[in-house]
Amino acid sequence: MTGDAAPGRTSLHATAVVHGESGVLILGPSGSGKSALALALMARASAAGAFGALIGDDRIFVRNAEGRLVASGAANMAGIIERRMAGLIAVPHEPAAIVRLTVELCERGRQWPRMPDISDSLTIGEVRLPRLALDSGLSVCDQALAVEERLTALAAQSRERIRISLEHCAAVHKNERPEISPPALQAPGA
């Protein structure tokens, strides 16, 4: 695989990680702290006993998969990330993830508006995703905490949309497979 995007995939100057069950796509110019934030998110996930892994650093390929954005890293750089002043290091990695949140870091010395738009989103590959704008001047700990808070809020919104009662889940579990009404027809000779 070369550094070029395959058909149907778009190449981005970005970093991506899995934090818990969510893919996080980190965008920003060179030197804005994408790799540092990715390392902080993976470390915080590990410290909390959650899953954390690198998808890719510096070059991410994205594709639209039935309305979901799938991010993958360059195969020849799997599990490799740059830690400033330390060089390239190896970290746990995954080949791809579904992106649940985009984080956009601004240039160093520049700031985003203090009160962001409530419905802040970003469209990539025809997929609209929640966007979190963070100042590069913030500490990486503050940035990681802000990402975790947004992921928690998004997970809560997602659970509300499902609306399956605990009683229903317990009944299905207790009674195993629910009966189909009317009973399914059996194939001849079965």
Side-chain angles (χ1 to χ4, degrees), residues 5-12 59-64 70 72 124-125:
R9 296 191 321 165
T10 302
S11 176
L12 300 174
R59 181 64 47 204
I60 298 296
F61 302 99
V62 295
R63 65 182 171 83
N64 182 338
V70 177
S72 58
I124 300 173

Side-chain angles (χ1 to χ4, degrees), residues 8 28 34 46 51 54 63 71 73 81 91 93 150 161 167 181:
K34 297 181 296 295
S46 177
F51 184 74
L54 179 71
R63 65 182 171 83
I81 189 168
V91 296
H93 67 281
R150 180 62 68 87
R161 281 182 271 186
E167 292 82 13
S181 178

Side-chain angles (χ1 to χ4, degrees), residues 74-161:
N76 62 343
M77 293 298 290
I80 304 296
I81 189 168
E82 180 187 0
R83 182 186 302 268
R84 289 230 180 236
M85 308 303 291
L88 299 176
I89 61 171
V91 296
H93 67 281
E94 285 292 319
I98 296 173
V99 177
R100 306 270 188 232
L101 176 67
T102 58
V103 176
E104 192 170 3
L105 299 173
C106 63
E107 291 180 49
R108 294 237 179 240
R110 189 174 153 230
Q111 293 182 336
W112 296 112
R114 185 171 176 171
M115 298 301 289
D117 188 7
I118 296 295
S119 63
D120 205 5
S121 64
L122 186 64
T123 302
I124 300 173
E126 299 179 1
V127 178
R128 187 172 180 206
L129 296 161
R131 174 185 170 257
L132 176 62
L134 294 175
D135 289 340
S136 294
L138 290 175
S139 76
V140 72
C141 293
D142 286 340
Q143 291 173 345
L145 182 59
V147 170
E148 288 176 336
E149 289 171 347
R150 180 62 68 87
L151 289 172
T152 299
L154 291 170
Q157 289 172 354
S158 179
R159 280 191 298 271
E160 270 187 30
R161 281 182 271 186

Side-chain angles (χ1 to χ4, degrees), residues 11-15 26-32 34 57-60:
S11 176
L12 300 174
H13 178 223
T15 297
I26 306 167
L27 303 162
S30 294
S32 61
K34 297 181 296 295
D57 185 39
D58 201 39
R59 181 64 47 204
I60 298 296

